[in-house]
Amino acid sequence: MRVPLSWLREYVDLPATETGRDVQAKLISAGLEVETVEHLGADLKGPLVVGQVLTIEELEGFKKPIRFCTVNVGQANGTGEPQEIVCGARNFAVGDKVVVVLPGATLPGGFSISARKTYGKTSHGMICSSDELGMGDDGTHGIIVLPPETEVGKDAIELLELVDEVLDIAVTANRGDCLSIRGVAREAAIAYGLPLRDPALLDVPGPNAYGYPVKIADPTGCDRFTARTVTGLSAEARSPIWLQRRLQKVGMRPISLAVDVTNYVMMELGQPLHAYDRSLVQGTIGVRRAQEGEKIVTLDGTERKLHAEDLVITDDRGPIGLAGVMGGANTEIADHDAAENGGNTTSDVVIEAAHFDQVSIARTARRHKLSSEASRRFERGVDPQAAAAAAQRTVDLLVLLAGGTAEAGVTEISAPSAPHTISVPADHPDKVAGVEYGRETVVRRLQEVGCDVYGQDELIVTVPSWRPDLDDINDLAEEVIRLEGYENLPSTLPRPPAGRGLTSRQRLHRRVGRALAGAGYVEALNYPFVGEQVFDQLGLDADDPARRVVRLVNPLSDEEPALRTSLLPGLLGALRRNDGRGAHDLALFETGLVFHPRDEQRVAADLPVDRRPSEDDLAALDAALPDQPRHVAVVLAGAREQAGWWGKGRPADWADAVESARTVAREAGAELGVRKGQYGPWHPGRCAELFVTVDGEERVVGHAGELHPRVLKTLGLPARTCAMELDLDAVERVGDDTPQAPGISTFPVATQDVALVVEEFVPASEVEAALREGAGELLESIRLFDVYDNAEQLGEGRKSLAYALRFRAGDRTLTVDEASAARDAAVALAGERVGAVLRS
């Protein structure tokens, strides 16, 4: 919300010495987020005056149209003689009043003006457009043409209000009242302790039977509708300069008088309005839900197919507007430009000032991807009591500026509602803040925000209509605390009990991150949101448990409305983005929560804020939440080892993904089993199933390997991309993270190498498991160091696996016979289990 300081001063008598920076500091202290203060015209220096075009000479022989003009600027140039100016714009004529900057002046951006020769003539100044003066878009895209009655020679800096300060406020979702000058003025008045001249305090006539007919079919969606009619608007009437400038300063473009007035009142009072051309409205104005499939062309020229939940404004033909979002093109106000093009102008208008349901308007705006100034206000909360005043203010301005006549008829339909009251102990803000404010301070602060307060120890507070966010006693406490100043709250550093630090789960999380980073992986943090189409892209079966998701009630994006059940979608998306930006050698990892819905759905209860929740409260909250195990995942693509003078390098492959899982298991102190597997996005022949043993039973905790080519093509990933995902919590439960000091033996190691020939389909892990079991307790380590597959020497469909076996005893030096016997026992069991034979 952009708030010009000059407009704010109309409603609050701020000290004359207060600058925009001073007001910013006060409002920030009161809890408003004032992001910037823009100094309009800070580097602008005159002379900048009103001139009248006397003559225009068209210069020939140039690539673009050029005009040589003489302009009467009065005595502003010191001589009274016409000023000669070269100009390329064509939207003005002889006799028009324009803005002229004379030599010696400086325009915004430090652009100095001097007499200069151009296009064969000498130009003594410039005829200015709104962009050149830093005014913003006025819709003309050309020279500023002033009203005919403007005095020649008048100071244009003062006339156009070019010097001002504008506060840019980031209004939070709960403070819809501050999306108006009225709301910000109220906050400024409280901050300075000054009275507020409320622009909504107007004499408003009561409803009668002569107003324009209105019928509300959905009082839940629209609980208040005010309609007023103004006739006889002058076709020549234009928005005055002061009104146009205020709209430009708040970031809106002037369009036509009737539209500008409704926009002006919206920015002033926070109540969105709409003006209908009365001659184009047929019959009764209605408010109802749209029929599925109905269509409307909105003011932006787009035809929109309506949803059954959309709230629409109708006449006898059907929808004429999306309620609270945007009007329809079939009742659009026409202006003087239409008359100049042979059309008819609007002389009679019907003013709509209504109050719509916040949720309904928010959903409609999001559904149609149509965010407007009106919808922004309705979805954050609009004062329902301001509708009549806003309609009256609009009528008054149209009568004043367009010579219209206000009809006596007033339509006002409202659903019965009682004001919201809250019972709050007078010392409740004291307990929340830990500061003793006292009853008088609490009552005074609540009255300043507009509450009616009664009672002594127990206060009965009636919330003002413009503050729908004040819903319970803690909201009232927050108002007292923020107005008394957050900076006045005492700061007390918490004192953690001695001997406590990170939990074992947190320590494991950090160790895993350090280990993967040390192995060359880079951590990537991704949003935990997914769209369900990603499960098809990953090739998951229709009955895969990972397809059961927790859906968000209010997702950030309609394309990702669910919480993730796997870390891979986010990691693969990060890999794709980085690869697309030229980083082709990638190794990324992430540790984070995934979310699985529980079989029994429960509703979480509101926890107390004045005390620590009990263990039962926390247990009930946990039971209502989805299951949230912590996973760890990696993705790899490109080179794992770079090529250089030292060698050819090596591309990342499935073995690197498997090794990353082993790295994680080592940090958890868990024994991780690896065997051939097949699941979802992984290549069937290059997928490892990762498992742990729990109470004698094997449990699959993840997969690793190379991704399927079909998945790579669907997701746009590099060839041979590999990935691993592991349930870190499951691995932690079977692990032992007690630090183990390495054992150092004083006895020598005995090394025995064996090369075993097996069928090609036999996994190396099964051969290794058989060798490890057969070798017995003397085996210290086993390592696969060679894989050989030559059909001529080994036979078709066979391969050779060479292992290095290290034997050592803790109490003696092994003899050759002992080491050989252990090796032979290992080979014998491998032959029995997997049909392995020694390679000759």
Side-chain angles (χ1 to χ4, degrees):
M1 175 69 191
R2 290 171 57 84
V3 179
L5 193 58
S6 59
W7 198 349
L8 193 64
R9 289 183 183 275
E10 279 201 9
Y11 309 127
V12 184
D13 289 327
L14 299 175
T17 57
E18 289 292 280
T19 66
R21 294 291 185 191
D22 298 329
V23 178
Q24 178 189 30
K26 283 282 190 179
L27 293 179
I28 289 176
S29 179
L32 293 185
E33 187 179 345
V34 185
E35 294 187 325
T36 60
V37 178
E38 183 179 353
H39 297 269
L40 302 182
D43 52 356
L44 177 64
K45 187 181 74 171
L48 188 72
V49 298
V50 176
Q52 184 173 26
V53 180
L54 300 177
T55 64
I56 298 176
E57 177 188 351
E58 301 289 345
L59 302 181
E60 304 293 340
F62 300 103
K63 293 182 179 179
K64 60 180 182 179
I66 298 296
R67 312 168 98 187
F68 181 64
C69 311
T70 59
V71 185
N72 175 20
V73 294
Q75 297 299 318
N77 58 4
T79 64
E81 296 295 322
Q83 200 79 2
E84 296 180 339
I85 299 175
V86 174
C87 183
R90 307 192 65 77
N91 67 313
F92 64 96
V94 172
D96 282 345
K97 302 289 180 65
V98 294
V99 178
V100 179
V101 57
L102 300 177
T106 303
L107 293 182
F111 182 58
S112 298
I113 303 300
S114 60
R116 63 190 183 95
K117 191 169 184 179
T118 179
Y119 297 102
K121 301 283 187 177
T122 300
S123 181
H124 300 272
M126 285 175 54
I127 302 176
C128 298
S129 68
S130 59
D131 285 339
E132 290 164 338
L133 297 179
M135 295 170 56
D137 184 11
D138 64 356
T140 64
H141 303 293
I143 294 303
I144 301 171
V145 178
L146 300 171
E149 64 272 15
T150 310
E151 179 186 349
V152 171
K154 184 177 179 63
D155 183 359
I157 295 178
E158 178 184 349
L159 174 70
L160 299 178
E161 301 176 14
L162 297 179
V163 178
D164 202 350
E165 293 181 278
V166 180
L167 310 177
D168 193 352
I169 304 175
V171 179
T172 54
N174 65 320
R175 292 301 305 272
D177 60 304
C178 288
L179 285 174
S180 66
I181 304 296
R182 178 196 185 200
V184 177
R186 183 180 293 108
E187 292 295 316
I190 296 172
Y192 280 93
L194 297 171
L196 169 71
R197 290 188 292 275
D198 192 343
L201 294 180
L202 302 174
D203 291 330
V204 179
N208 54 48
Y210 312 110
Y212 199 93
V214 175
K215 180 179 180 182
I216 298 178
D218 190 339
T220 302
C222 177
D223 59 5
R224 183 178 294 269
F225 195 107
T226 300
R228 301 288 300 274
T229 303
V230 180
T231 60
L233 300 183
S234 170
E236 301 300 322
R238 299 191 183 189
S239 299
I241 293 174
W242 64 265
L243 192 150
Q244 293 187 46
R245 287 296 295 132
R246 286 193 171 179
L247 289 178
Q248 288 174 327
K249 289 177 185 178
V250 298
M252 303 191 76
R253 179 172 64 86
I255 298 173
S256 65
L257 178 58
V259 176
D260 291 349
V261 166
T262 59
N263 285 336
Y264 177 84
V265 175
M266 175 179 67
M267 303 308 296
E268 182 181 54
L269 302 182
Q271 168 67 53
L273 302 108
H274 191 72
Y276 300 94
D277 188 328
R278 184 176 180 177
S279 65
L280 299 179
V281 179
Q282 299 181 10
T284 301
I285 292 177
V287 183
R288 61 170 172 83
R289 298 289 173 176
Q291 299 173 8
E292 191 68 41
E294 274 189 309
K295 295 181 179 179
I296 183 175
V297 178
T298 46
L299 288 173
D300 59 358
T302 302
E303 182 179 80
R304 303 181 186 277
K305 187 176 181 180
L306 301 178
H307 188 275
E309 292 186 5
D310 290 335
L311 198 65
V312 294
I313 311 297
T314 64
D315 64 4
D316 291 349
R317 296 167 296 178
I320 59 173
L322 268 177
V325 181
M326 186 173 285
N330 54 356
T331 57
E332 183 179 5
I333 296 289
D335 57 13
H336 57 272
D337 290 334
E340 293 178 0
N341 295 323
N344 295 320
T345 60
T346 298
S347 59
D348 302 341
V349 297
V350 178
I351 306 300
E352 165 210 308
H355 184 260
F356 301 111
D357 176 63
Q358 290 180 237
V359 175
S360 177
I361 300 306
R363 289 178 176 172
T364 295
R366 180 175 296 180
R367 189 179 299 118
H368 294 282
K369 296 180 174 59
L370 185 61
S371 178
S372 64
E373 292 288 347
S375 68
R376 285 183 61 221
R377 284 161 176 78
F378 277 122
E379 65 191 31
R380 286 164 174 80
V382 168
D383 181 3
Q385 303 296 330
Q392 182 63 46
R393 177 72 164 140
T394 304
V395 168
D396 292 344
L397 287 172
L398 288 176
V399 170
L400 174 67
L401 302 177
T405 301
E407 288 196 350
V410 177
T411 302
E412 188 168 323
I413 301 175
S414 61
S417 62
H420 181 46
T421 60
I422 302 171
S423 179
V424 54
D427 62 349
H428 182 68
D430 301 8
K431 294 179 179 179
V432 174
V435 175
E436 187 174 343
Y437 293 122
R439 179 188 177 280
E440 290 186 3
T441 298
V442 171
V443 171
R444 175 172 57 85
R445 288 304 190 183
L446 292 178
Q447 288 175 338
E448 285 177 345
V449 299
C451 297
D452 290 331
V453 186
Y454 303 95
Q456 292 298 318
D457 295 337
E458 190 74 16
L459 303 179
I460 305 300
V461 180
T462 302
V463 174
S465 58
W466 57 82
R467 290 299 301 275
D469 59 306
L470 302 182
D471 192 52
D472 59 29
I473 61 175
N474 294 308
D475 295 328
L476 299 180
E478 182 183 2
E479 288 300 293
V480 174
I481 294 168
R482 77 174 180 89
L483 294 179
E484 283 296 303
Y486 292 123
E487 68 276 9
N488 295 324
L489 293 176
S491 299
T492 304
L493 291 175
R495 295 182 179 179
R500 294 189 181 182
L502 298 176
T503 64
S504 59
R505 188 183 192 218
Q506 291 169 328
R507 288 196 298 270
L508 174 61
H509 181 200
R510 294 194 178 188
R511 288 201 310 273
V512 167
R514 285 194 292 266
L516 291 175
Y521 292 86
V522 176
E523 186 171 16
L525 301 177
N526 299 292
Y527 285 119
F529 312 119
V530 295
E532 294 183 66
Q533 72 279 358
V534 76
F535 301 129
D536 295 326
Q537 296 169 341
L538 292 177
L540 299 187
D541 294 335
D543 59 348
D544 194 301
R547 284 182 175 269
R548 293 186 62 232
V549 296
V550 177
R551 288 184 164 273
L552 298 169
V553 175
N554 191 22
L556 292 178
S557 168
D558 292 335
E559 296 179 357
E560 295 180 329
L563 290 172
R564 66 189 178 190
T565 56
S566 167
L567 301 182
L568 288 184
L571 269 181
L572 293 174
L575 185 141
R576 180 178 60 248
R577 285 192 299 274
N578 282 276
D579 180 73
R581 294 168 182 169
H584 303 303
D585 302 325
L586 295 163
L588 309 177
F589 84 93
E590 181 176 10
T591 57
L593 302 180
V594 299
F595 306 85
H596 299 286
R598 299 184 187 270
D599 294 332
E600 181 183 357
Q601 299 293 326
R602 300 183 183 181
V603 178
D606 291 335
L607 295 181
V609 297
D610 58 343
R611 57 181 172 81
R612 185 186 186 279
S614 67
E615 296 300 327
D616 291 339
D617 290 336
L618 295 175
L621 179 63
D622 287 338
L625 296 175
D627 190 24
Q628 303 176 54
R630 184 177 293 278
H631 280 204
V632 57
V634 307
V635 293
L636 305 99
R640 185 66 176 135
E641 295 178 4
Q642 293 292 335
W645 58 265
W646 52 85
K648 295 182 179 180
R650 180 178 66 81
D653 61 17
W654 61 268
D656 295 303
V658 174
E659 182 59 27
S660 68
R662 290 195 176 104
T663 300
V664 172
R666 281 194 296 270
E667 293 299 325
E671 185 174 344
L672 186 68
V674 180
R675 63 190 175 208
K676 182 179 180 181
Q678 182 174 344
Y679 177 70
W682 279 277
H683 193 297
R686 297 167 187 163
C687 175
E689 188 174 76
L690 311 173
F691 65 92
V692 295
T693 302
V694 183
D695 297 330
E697 295 185 2
E698 293 180 351
R699 176 186 170 186
V700 177
V701 292
H703 294 83
E706 184 179 316
L707 297 181
H708 198 289
R710 182 174 58 251
V711 174
L712 302 181
K713 182 178 180 181
T714 302
L715 295 178
L717 299 171
R720 311 302 289 269
T721 295
C722 301
M724 179 279 293
E725 183 163 11
L726 196 62
D727 186 337
L728 187 55
D729 285 351
V731 173
E732 180 189 10
R733 282 192 289 270
V734 301
D736 181 8
D737 62 354
T738 303
Q740 300 291 332
I744 301 175
S745 176
T746 58
F747 299 98
V749 66
T751 302
Q752 296 277 351
D753 294 346
V754 295
L756 302 178
V757 178
V758 295
E759 296 294 333
E760 192 174 32
F761 61 83
V762 175
S765 60
E766 294 184 14
V767 179
E768 181 180 320
L771 290 173
R772 188 182 298 277
E773 183 179 343
E777 295 180 356
L778 295 178
L779 181 66
E780 182 179 80
S781 67
I782 180 172
R783 179 174 63 89
L784 175 67
F785 67 86
D786 185 52
V787 178
Y788 181 69
D789 54 351
N790 188 308
E792 293 182 2
Q793 297 183 17
L794 304 177
E796 192 68 35
R798 297 174 69 79
K799 62 183 177 183
S800 171
L801 304 175
Y803 291 90
L805 309 178
R806 290 170 59 92
F807 299 97
R808 195 195 309 258
D811 57 352
R812 67 188 186 281
T813 299
L814 293 179
T815 65
V816 174
D817 292 340
E818 287 177 309
S820 297
R823 179 203 63 185
D824 293 343
V827 172
L829 187 57
E832 179 183 335
R833 290 270 182 89
V834 297
V837 297
L838 277 172
R839 177 181 167 192
S840 58

